[in-house]
Amino acid sequence: MADLNPAGQAGTELEIGDEDGTPVIRLAGELDMTSADDVRAAIDGVLRRTPERVVFETSGLHFMDSSGIALLLSVAQQVPDVELRAPSPIVRRLIELTGLEETLRITP
């Protein structure tokens, strides 16, 4: 995974992979206002390919604020099917509390 905050501070780790033509974006650490722009820049290439589906593997995220939600919603506006695979308890709770389960589909 690439560390998007190499200064040793808490940050986001990101890895972009592919499963049968579907982009899989693995996120770990913290997704917040200090890292959301870097994550967005890192996944721009994925979005330029106009995929029909994107999977975010978020089991390694231990913190996400409204900037992370905004990033995920931005992707959902560009991609018909956005899946959050194995979200950490904090991510799952945020999605459920904000009522975004239909927009950001959660899978175990």
Side-chain angles (χ1 to χ4, degrees):
M1 273 194 181
D3 187 353
L4 297 180
N5 192 1
Q9 301 172 358
T12 306
E13 295 178 17
L14 175 133
E15 179 182 336
I16 299 173
D18 186 273
E19 290 179 3
D20 300 321
T22 297
V24 177
I25 301 164
R26 290 175 181 82
L27 297 169
E30 298 180 359
L31 180 54
D32 58 18
M33 64 184 252
T34 61
S35 61
D37 287 341
D38 290 335
V39 171
R40 186 182 315 273
I43 65 174
D44 274 347
V46 169
L47 299 177
R48 278 194 291 275
R49 295 185 306 210
T50 61
E52 290 294 312
R53 180 173 172 241
V54 171
V55 175
F56 284 92
E57 204 291 344
T58 58
S59 63
L61 278 180
H62 59 264
F63 180 82
M64 184 170 75
D65 69 6
S66 60
S67 300
I69 292 173
L71 175 113
L72 295 173
L73 289 175
S74 172
V75 172
Q77 290 178 335
Q78 300 172 63
V79 178
D81 184 13
V82 175
E83 173 187 341
L84 296 183
R85 181 183 294 166
S88 64
I90 190 70
V91 172
R92 179 181 294 275
R93 184 83 171 126
L94 272 171
I95 299 306
E96 290 171 350
L97 284 173
T98 55
L100 295 171
E101 306 99 296
E102 290 182 29
T103 304
L104 303 170
R105 186 170 51 88
I106 295 175
T107 60

